[in-house]
DNA sequence: GCCGGAAGCA
DNA sequence: TGCTTCCGGC
């Protein structure tokens, strides 16, 4: 089978690998790319995060490293020395120790592959956004249900994966560089934690996935009448679809971010249980961000309709909300509204999978400022809809005038719909800006007021959106033509001016429902 | 324990 | 590029 042969290759490449990948059952908690050194273009050796996943995936190392209960993607290194030793053996570095290993792990902070769980010793957390999205842009999901807010936009148990052509003889070609490869994870890793990082943290999502989505949607809008067939301009067509992880119960660890769904999958072509949260509540959307591989351009697995897209967008919103991802991870599509879906988690689910919102990894300097407020107000996400998470706002690059237009467009849209206009926050520190978007609106069920919930304090209390904004002004704002509003803001808001001057992003959210709004003006 | 700069290596 | 090694600082 494909994954077996790949893992063999991976092992061969790993050189002095001592950690064998279980080849028959034994708790596959991760898709195979996680174990492939090939998925790290530019790096012929296994990467540490691969290795960590590898250990996490194995029962026999559970006493050494294991998923943290109740926290998706969070893991605890129970025996740091042992982990270091294993890593050292894998890398043929007998001098390896936890200090060095942890240094390597810390390099992942900037790359946003990992972040540290503060206050917990030896505890780290994978960044789904970085790990999953770039590795699954080729995913096409089709199932039914609701996207839980606690899940990143990853496939569910009832997902169908559509793979690009694989040259089984060429490991490198099996993985498309910069797409679902670790390289895309690391693509942003060159930048420092400060301004440059902001620039880089999104490209693989915004430029690759989301942009592809946009293109796909555009494509779709123009060719939908063609019934999804025969789009001539695809870059690449998914010639084959490979079944992966088709065995039920392959992801037995409920704390693995890729744990198996307790729900029966639909048994599509490819059942890929990845996110426990998602899989608990199957999704309805088709998901295939890559135009070359996507249903938009492929007749073989075309499956898309605006409704599904809405669901997808909403799920994105939920992910952004819960994973404090950059709002720009949320794709924007002209003319597509994200309806107030049930971004809601089953009570049990929310209890079981409470996601603690954490700020994106901040540089030391940032943290110094951040921590004091943050630590004092921990928060659990799924049940606290009204509390908007801190969202890192990307700097509006000069090369992206579209951002501003988008802002205007979305303001217009929200204006038209009478929703609270999106705005932005002005957390500014060496290029790091965090904005707090309005929380997604849960249409059903009572929503506790933000004041009832422990508010996660942001870096700057003064720009807490939704926190007692000047009501009259807001109303006035809403009635004002968006462009005028923009202008007014420009004139009135020195902070915003400053932001713009520094090239910071004024992100305006994406949907009228919640996630959309980055922050309300003070 | 954790952080991140710096230099070096493959 | 992705660490590894070292280290000063918190």
């Amino acid at each position: 089978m494909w994954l077996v042969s790949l893992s063999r290759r991976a092992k061969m490449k790993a050189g002095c690998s001592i950690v064998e990948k279980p080849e028959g059952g034994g708790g596959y908690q991760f898709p195979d790319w996680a174990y492939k050194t090939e998925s790290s273009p530019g790096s012929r050796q296994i990467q540490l995060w691969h290795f960590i996943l590898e250990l996490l995936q194995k029962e026999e190392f559970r006493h050494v490293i294991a998923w943290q209960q109740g926290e998706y993607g969070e893991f605890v290194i129970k025996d740091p020395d042992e982990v270091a030793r294993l890593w050292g053996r894998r890398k043929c570095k007998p001098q390896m120790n936890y200090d060095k290993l942890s240094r390597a792990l810390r390099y992942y902070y900037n790359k946003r592959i990992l972040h540290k769980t503060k206050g917990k010793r030896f505890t780290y957390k994978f960044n789904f956004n970085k790990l999953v999205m770039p590795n699954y842009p080729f995913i096409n999901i089709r199932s039914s249900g609701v996207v839980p807010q606690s899940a990143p936009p990853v496939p569910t148990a009832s997902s169908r994966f559509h793979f690009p052509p694989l040259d089984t003889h060429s490991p490198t070609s099996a993985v498309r560089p910069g797409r679902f490869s670790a390289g895309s994870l690391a693509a942003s890793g060159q930048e420092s934690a400060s301004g440059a990082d902001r620039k880089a943290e999104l490209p693989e999502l915004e430029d690759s996935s989301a942009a592809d989505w946009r293109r796909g949607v555009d494509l779709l809008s123009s060719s939908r009448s063609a019934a999804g067939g025969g789009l001539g301009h695809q870059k690449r067509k998914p010639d084959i679809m490979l079944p992966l992880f088709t065995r039920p119960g392959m992801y037995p660890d409920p704390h693995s971010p890729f744990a198996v769904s307790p729900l029966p999958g639909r048994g599509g072509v490819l059942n890929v249980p990845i996110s426990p949260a998602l899989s608990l509540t199957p999704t309805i959307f088709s998901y295939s961000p890559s135009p070359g591989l996507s249903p938009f351009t492929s007749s073989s697995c075309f499956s898309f309709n605006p409704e599904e897209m809405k669901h997808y967008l909403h799920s994105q919103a939920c992910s952004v909300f819960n994973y404090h991802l950059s709002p720009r991870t949320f794709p924007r599509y002209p003319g597509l509204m994200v309806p107030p879906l049930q971004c809601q988690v089953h009570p049990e689910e929310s209890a079981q999978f409470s996601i603690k919102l954490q700020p994106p990894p901040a540089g030391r300097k940032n943290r110094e400022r951040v921590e004091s407020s943050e630590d004092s107000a921990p928060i659990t996400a799924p049940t606290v809809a009204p509390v908007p998470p801190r969202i890192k706002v990307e700097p509006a690059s000069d090369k992206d005038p579209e951002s501003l237009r988008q802002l205007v467009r979305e303001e217009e849209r929200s204006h038209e719909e009478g929703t609270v206009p999106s705005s932005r926050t002005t957390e500014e520190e060496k290029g790091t800006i965090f904005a707090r978007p309005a929380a997604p609106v849960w249409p059903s069920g009572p929503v506790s007021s933000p004041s009832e919930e422990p508010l996660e304090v942001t870096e700057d209390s003064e720009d807490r959106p939704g926190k007692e904004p000047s009501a009259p002004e807001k109303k006035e704002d809403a009635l004002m033509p968006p462009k005028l509003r923009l202008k007014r803001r420009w004139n009135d808001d020195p902070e915003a001016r400053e932001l713009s001057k520094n090239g910071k992003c004024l992100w305006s959210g994406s949907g009228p429902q919640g996630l959309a709004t980055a922050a309300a003006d003070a």
Side-chain angles (χ1 to χ4, degrees):
Chain A
M1 202 166 149
W2 183 63
L3 76 157
V4 171
S5 68
L6 281 176
S7 75
R8 288 218 176 100
R9 277 205 309 271
K11 264 192 297 186
M12 286 168 62
K13 273 203 160 186
C16 56
S17 162
I18 48 96
V19 181
E20 302 297 315
K21 186 175 188 295
E23 299 196 1
Y28 285 78
Q29 277 127 13
F30 291 90
D32 210 50
W33 54 260
Y35 313 106
K36 292 190 304 169
T37 54
E38 291 90 338
S39 62
S40 314
S43 167
R44 254 168 238 99
Q45 284 206 308
I46 185 171
Q47 287 188 290
L48 179 53
W49 67 271
H50 284 175
F51 180 77
I52 296 290
L53 288 183
E54 197 172 303
L55 293 185
L56 281 166
Q57 172 249 347
K58 290 171 186 167
E59 196 82 45
E60 68 230 64
F61 294 110
R62 208 151 282 182
H63 66 287
V64 169
I65 185 172
W67 292 113
Q68 176 76 304
Q69 296 232 342
E71 294 285 346
Y72 286 130
E74 190 170 291
F75 62 93
V76 188
I77 299 176
K78 296 174 177 172
D79 188 344
D81 293 336
E82 180 64 7
V83 171
R85 194 182 61 81
L86 291 168
W87 176 235
R89 271 168 78 178
R90 169 64 68 91
K91 292 291 293 289
C92 303
K93 297 279 179 186
Q95 308 306 315
M96 181 56 59
N97 56 33
Y98 179 70
D99 186 47
K100 294 170 187 172
L101 182 144
S102 65
R103 181 70 191 95
L105 288 178
R106 285 195 295 276
Y107 272 117
Y108 286 143
Y109 297 172
N110 280 347
K111 294 176 182 176
R112 316 200 84 227
I113 290 170
L114 269 187
H115 62 260
K116 185 77 180 69
T117 302
K118 286 173 199 159
K120 294 185 190 170
R121 285 172 63 191
F122 310 124
T123 304
Y124 300 83
K125 192 168 185 176
F126 278 104
N127 183 337
F128 296 118
N129 193 31
K130 276 285 178 184
L131 281 179
V132 177
M133 287 300 288
N135 282 283
Y136 293 97
F138 49 91
I139 291 164
N140 182 33
I141 293 174
R142 218 171 151 60
S143 56
S144 61
V146 176
V147 182
Q149 59 166 322
S150 57
V154 293
T156 74
S158 43
S159 306
R160 278 191 293 158
F161 275 38
H162 298 271
F163 287 81
L166 291 181
D167 177 3
T168 50
H169 302 293
S170 164
T172 46
S173 64
V175 175
R176 301 179 64 195
R179 282 217 173 274
F180 46 98
S181 68
S184 59
L185 300 181
S188 61
Q190 315 319 313
E191 292 76 11
S192 70
S194 54
D197 187 42
R198 310 291 153 263
K199 242 189 315 183
E201 77 189 65
L202 254 295
E204 71 273 24
L205 289 166
E206 174 76 329
D207 299 343
S208 175
S209 302
D212 286 353
W213 268 91
R214 269 197 292 280
R215 261 173 280 151
V217 171
D218 290 341
L219 245 179
L220 177 88
S221 58
S222 62
S223 58
R224 221 179 135 211
S225 56
L231 301 179
H233 41 294
Q234 68 255 43
K235 291 178 198 160
R236 201 167 176 182
K237 205 176 168 181
D239 309 331
I240 55 174
M241 297 194 290
L242 291 173
L244 255 198
F245 318 119
T246 49
R247 279 169 288 172
M250 206 177 271
Y251 304 89
D253 190 336
H255 304 110
S256 160
F258 303 106
V260 71
S261 163
L263 297 178
R266 278 211 333 202
V269 180
L270 298 166
N271 275 349
V272 187
I274 288 180
S275 162
L278 263 180
S279 53
L280 280 171
T281 46
T283 56
I284 245 180
F285 50 85
S286 297
Y287 174 39
S288 182
S290 166
L293 312 167
S294 78
F296 302 130
T297 55
S298 160
S299 55
S300 62
C301 47
F302 187 94
S303 55
F304 173 86
N305 68 49
E307 276 306 307
E308 294 185 352
M309 179 55 83
K310 285 176 189 175
H311 283 265
Y312 168 72
L313 293 177
H314 193 74
S315 75
Q316 279 275 14
C318 293
S319 295
V320 171
F321 174 73
N322 286 293
Y323 289 87
H324 49 78
L325 307 177
S326 161
R328 287 179 63 193
T329 27
F330 189 82
R332 298 167 294 231
Y333 304 107
L336 262 180
M337 299 293 112
V338 182
L341 288 186
Q342 318 85 301
C343 206
Q344 216 171 3
V345 189
H346 192 278
E348 298 167 23
E349 199 181 324
S350 72
Q352 188 183 356
F353 302 116
S354 74
I355 301 295
K356 190 172 67 186
L357 291 178
Q358 292 172 341
R364 207 174 189 172
K365 287 154 198 165
N366 288 339
R367 268 196 317 267
E368 282 163 10
R369 198 167 146 192
V370 169
E371 266 174 6
S372 56
S373 54
E374 178 191 68
D375 293 344
S376 59
I379 196 169
T380 19
T383 53
V384 288
V387 184
R390 188 182 311 139
I391 298 287
K392 183 180 286 181
V393 175
E394 302 306 317
S397 56
D398 299 333
K399 58 180 187 240
D400 186 17
E402 181 63 24
S403 298
L404 197 59
R405 280 198 296 275
Q406 186 71 37
L407 177 68
V408 174
R409 237 179 280 137
E410 287 175 2
E411 292 237 11
E412 276 166 353
R413 192 189 309 163
S414 51
H415 176 65
E416 284 161 13
E417 293 176 10
T419 55
V420 178
S422 58
S423 183
R424 73 275 172 209
T425 326
T426 56
E427 165 62 29
E428 174 188 12
E429 173 130 9
K430 285 200 168 188
T432 304
I433 309 169
F434 295 104
R436 185 195 286 277
V441 175
W442 322 126
S444 60
V447 177
S448 50
S449 86
S451 56
E452 291 166 4
E453 301 291 343
L455 239 185
E456 187 187 15
V457 184
T458 47
E459 294 87 341
D460 287 340
S461 50
E462 79 234 43
D463 71 32
R464 191 173 304 139
K467 198 195 172 191
E468 304 165 60
S470 161
E473 190 179 85
K474 263 204 144 153
K475 200 172 172 184
E476 190 187 335
D477 249 24
L479 294 171
M480 194 180 300
K483 281 177 186 168
L484 203 65
R485 246 180 290 151
L486 265 181
K487 190 178 174 184
R488 196 183 115 160
R489 260 187 217 136
W490 177 266
N491 293 329
D492 293 352
D493 190 351
E495 217 169 19
R497 243 188 341 252
E498 190 60 27
L499 263 179
S500 304
K501 227 186 298 173
N502 294 340
K504 302 292 157 31
C505 172
L506 309 179
W507 176 73
S508 109
S510 324
Q513 303 297 334
L515 185 261
T517 48
D521 284 346

PDB file of all heavy atoms in Angstrom, chain A residues 389-404:
ATOM      1  N   PRO A 389     -11.871  35.662  20.115  1.00  0.00           N
ATOM      2  CA  PRO A 389     -10.494  35.320  20.369  1.00  0.00           C
ATOM      3  C   PRO A 389      -9.583  36.390  19.831  1.00  0.00           C
ATOM      4  O   PRO A 389      -9.983  37.195  19.001  1.00  0.00           O
ATOM      5  CB  PRO A 389     -10.299  34.036  19.567  1.00  0.00           C
ATOM      6  CG  PRO A 389     -11.218  34.215  18.415  1.00  0.00           C
ATOM      7  CD  PRO A 389     -12.375  35.026  18.926  1.00  0.00           C
ATOM      8  N   ARG A 390      -8.421  36.327  20.297  1.00  0.00           N
ATOM      9  CA  ARG A 390      -7.455  37.260  19.778  1.00  0.00           C
ATOM     10  C   ARG A 390      -7.003  36.763  18.425  1.00  0.00           C
ATOM     11  O   ARG A 390      -6.629  35.627  18.252  1.00  0.00           O
ATOM     12  CB  ARG A 390      -6.254  37.316  20.711  1.00  0.00           C
ATOM     13  CG  ARG A 390      -5.305  38.379  20.342  1.00  0.00           C
ATOM     14  CD  ARG A 390      -4.132  38.323  21.293  1.00  0.00           C
ATOM     15  NE  ARG A 390      -4.581  38.267  22.661  1.00  0.00           N
ATOM     16  CZ  ARG A 390      -4.016  37.493  23.569  1.00  0.00           C
ATOM     17  NH1 ARG A 390      -3.039  36.700  23.239  1.00  0.00           N
ATOM     18  NH2 ARG A 390      -4.449  37.498  24.805  1.00  0.00           N
ATOM     19  N   ILE A 391      -7.082  37.589  17.509  1.00  0.00           N
ATOM     20  CA  ILE A 391      -6.700  37.197  16.164  1.00  0.00           C
ATOM     21  C   ILE A 391      -5.558  38.055  15.730  1.00  0.00           C
ATOM     22  O   ILE A 391      -5.578  39.267  15.883  1.00  0.00           O
ATOM     23  CB  ILE A 391      -7.863  37.392  15.190  1.00  0.00           C
ATOM     24  CG1 ILE A 391      -9.018  36.499  15.601  1.00  0.00           C
ATOM     25  CG2 ILE A 391      -7.448  37.108  13.772  1.00  0.00           C
ATOM     26  CD1 ILE A 391      -8.816  35.054  15.330  1.00  0.00           C
ATOM     27  N   LYS A 392      -4.616  37.383  15.226  1.00  0.00           N
ATOM     28  CA  LYS A 392      -3.492  38.136  14.748  1.00  0.00           C
ATOM     29  C   LYS A 392      -3.834  38.719  13.386  1.00  0.00           C
ATOM     30  O   LYS A 392      -4.299  38.034  12.504  1.00  0.00           O
ATOM     31  CB  LYS A 392      -2.270  37.225  14.613  1.00  0.00           C
ATOM     32  CG  LYS A 392      -1.051  37.990  14.192  1.00  0.00           C
ATOM     33  CD  LYS A 392       0.122  37.056  14.063  1.00  0.00           C
ATOM     34  CE  LYS A 392       0.645  36.620  15.406  1.00  0.00           C
ATOM     35  NZ  LYS A 392       1.787  35.730  15.261  1.00  0.00           N
ATOM     36  N   VAL A 393      -3.577  39.950  13.259  1.00  0.00           N
ATOM     37  CA  VAL A 393      -3.903  40.607  12.005  1.00  0.00           C
ATOM     38  C   VAL A 393      -2.655  40.736  11.177  1.00  0.00           C
ATOM     39  O   VAL A 393      -1.602  41.134  11.663  1.00  0.00           O
ATOM     40  CB  VAL A 393      -4.483  42.001  12.270  1.00  0.00           C
ATOM     41  CG1 VAL A 393      -4.715  42.719  10.970  1.00  0.00           C
ATOM     42  CG2 VAL A 393      -5.781  41.860  13.049  1.00  0.00           C
ATOM     43  N   GLU A 394      -2.812  40.384   9.978  1.00  0.00           N
ATOM     44  CA  GLU A 394      -1.668  40.443   9.093  1.00  0.00           C
ATOM     45  C   GLU A 394      -1.436  41.869   8.637  1.00  0.00           C
ATOM     46  O   GLU A 394      -2.370  42.638   8.464  1.00  0.00           O
ATOM     47  CB  GLU A 394      -1.929  39.583   7.864  1.00  0.00           C
ATOM     48  CG  GLU A 394      -2.217  38.180   8.220  1.00  0.00           C
ATOM     49  CD  GLU A 394      -1.134  37.597   9.075  1.00  0.00           C
ATOM     50  OE1 GLU A 394       0.036  37.834   8.783  1.00  0.00           O
ATOM     51  OE2 GLU A 394      -1.466  36.940  10.070  1.00  0.00           O
ATOM     52  N   PRO A 395      -0.201  42.160   8.467  1.00  0.00           N
ATOM     53  CA  PRO A 395       0.082  43.491   7.933  1.00  0.00           C
ATOM     54  C   PRO A 395      -0.417  43.583   6.510  1.00  0.00           C
ATOM     55  O   PRO A 395      -0.259  42.655   5.733  1.00  0.00           O
ATOM     56  CB  PRO A 395       1.610  43.566   7.972  1.00  0.00           C
ATOM     57  CG  PRO A 395       2.073  42.155   8.032  1.00  0.00           C
ATOM     58  CD  PRO A 395       0.976  41.359   8.691  1.00  0.00           C
ATOM     59  N   ALA A 396      -1.028  44.663   6.247  1.00  0.00           N
ATOM     60  CA  ALA A 396      -1.485  44.860   4.887  1.00  0.00           C
ATOM     61  C   ALA A 396      -0.286  45.222   4.045  1.00  0.00           C
ATOM     62  O   ALA A 396       0.269  46.297   4.134  1.00  0.00           O
ATOM     63  CB  ALA A 396      -2.510  45.965   4.849  1.00  0.00           C
ATOM     64  N   SER A 397       0.090  44.307   3.269  1.00  0.00           N
ATOM     65  CA  SER A 397       1.286  44.555   2.490  1.00  0.00           C
ATOM     66  C   SER A 397       0.988  45.582   1.410  1.00  0.00           C
ATOM     67  O   SER A 397      -0.119  45.682   0.911  1.00  0.00           O
ATOM     68  CB  SER A 397       1.765  43.250   1.862  1.00  0.00           C
ATOM     69  OG  SER A 397       0.727  42.690   1.109  1.00  0.00           O
ATOM     70  N   ASP A 398       2.011  46.287   1.091  1.00  0.00           N
ATOM     71  CA  ASP A 398       1.832  47.310   0.074  1.00  0.00           C
ATOM     72  C   ASP A 398       1.423  46.685  -1.243  1.00  0.00           C
ATOM     73  O   ASP A 398       0.735  47.270  -2.050  1.00  0.00           O
ATOM     74  CB  ASP A 398       3.145  48.077  -0.119  1.00  0.00           C
ATOM     75  CG  ASP A 398       3.526  48.748   1.185  1.00  0.00           C
ATOM     76  OD1 ASP A 398       2.608  49.040   1.964  1.00  0.00           O
ATOM     77  OD2 ASP A 398       4.720  48.961   1.418  1.00  0.00           O
ATOM     78  N   LYS A 399       1.899  45.471  -1.390  1.00  0.00           N
ATOM     79  CA  LYS A 399       1.630  44.820  -2.658  1.00  0.00           C
ATOM     80  C   LYS A 399       0.206  44.289  -2.721  1.00  0.00           C
ATOM     81  O   LYS A 399      -0.166  43.612  -3.630  1.00  0.00           O
ATOM     82  CB  LYS A 399       2.600  43.661  -2.857  1.00  0.00           C
ATOM     83  CG  LYS A 399       2.497  42.656  -1.730  1.00  0.00           C
ATOM     84  CD  LYS A 399       3.465  41.534  -1.965  1.00  0.00           C
ATOM     85  CE  LYS A 399       3.231  40.443  -0.921  1.00  0.00           C
ATOM     86  NZ  LYS A 399       4.293  40.143  -0.103  1.00  0.00           N
ATOM     87  N   ASP A 400      -0.528  44.594  -1.706  1.00  0.00           N
ATOM     88  CA  ASP A 400      -1.858  44.047  -1.683  1.00  0.00           C
ATOM     89  C   ASP A 400      -2.904  45.141  -1.537  1.00  0.00           C
ATOM     90  O   ASP A 400      -3.535  45.288  -0.504  1.00  0.00           O
ATOM     91  CB  ASP A 400      -1.980  43.052  -0.530  1.00  0.00           C
ATOM     92  CG  ASP A 400      -3.327  42.350  -0.555  1.00  0.00           C
ATOM     93  OD1 ASP A 400      -3.999  42.396  -1.591  1.00  0.00           O
ATOM     94  OD2 ASP A 400      -3.684  41.783   0.462  1.00  0.00           O
ATOM     95  N   PRO A 401      -3.053  45.895  -2.533  1.00  0.00           N
ATOM     96  CA  PRO A 401      -4.068  46.960  -2.480  1.00  0.00           C
ATOM     97  C   PRO A 401      -5.449  46.362  -2.385  1.00  0.00           C
ATOM     98  O   PRO A 401      -6.391  47.021  -2.010  1.00  0.00           O
ATOM     99  CB  PRO A 401      -3.889  47.695  -3.807  1.00  0.00           C
ATOM    100  CG  PRO A 401      -3.233  46.712  -4.714  1.00  0.00           C
ATOM    101  CD  PRO A 401      -2.422  45.802  -3.855  1.00  0.00           C
ATOM    102  N   GLU A 402      -5.512  45.110  -2.732  1.00  0.00           N
ATOM    103  CA  GLU A 402      -6.788  44.431  -2.673  1.00  0.00           C
ATOM    104  C   GLU A 402      -7.323  44.432  -1.249  1.00  0.00           C
ATOM    105  O   GLU A 402      -8.527  44.430  -1.028  1.00  0.00           O
ATOM    106  CB  GLU A 402      -6.618  42.993  -3.170  1.00  0.00           C
ATOM    107  CG  GLU A 402      -7.900  42.179  -3.185  1.00  0.00           C
ATOM    108  CD  GLU A 402      -8.943  42.749  -4.129  1.00  0.00           C
ATOM    109  OE1 GLU A 402      -8.562  43.462  -5.068  1.00  0.00           O
ATOM    110  OE2 GLU A 402     -10.128  42.507  -3.916  1.00  0.00           O
ATOM    111  N   SER A 403      -6.417  44.431  -0.322  1.00  0.00           N
ATOM    112  CA  SER A 403      -6.840  44.395   1.068  1.00  0.00           C
ATOM    113  C   SER A 403      -7.757  45.554   1.386  1.00  0.00           C
ATOM    114  O   SER A 403      -8.781  45.393   2.036  1.00  0.00           O
ATOM    115  CB  SER A 403      -5.624  44.456   1.980  1.00  0.00           C
ATOM    116  OG  SER A 403      -4.825  43.335   1.756  1.00  0.00           O
ATOM    117  N   LEU A 404      -7.341  46.694   0.939  1.00  0.00           N
ATOM    118  CA  LEU A 404      -8.118  47.880   1.248  1.00  0.00           C
ATOM    119  C   LEU A 404      -9.456  47.832   0.529  1.00  0.00           C
ATOM    120  O   LEU A 404     -10.491  48.124   1.106  1.00  0.00           O
ATOM    121  CB  LEU A 404      -7.339  49.126   0.848  1.00  0.00           C
ATOM    122  CG  LEU A 404      -7.857  50.408   1.478  1.00  0.00           C
ATOM    123  CD1 LEU A 404      -7.824  50.309   3.007  1.00  0.00           C
ATOM    124  CD2 LEU A 404      -7.038  51.596   1.011  1.00  0.00           C
TER     125      LEU A 404
END
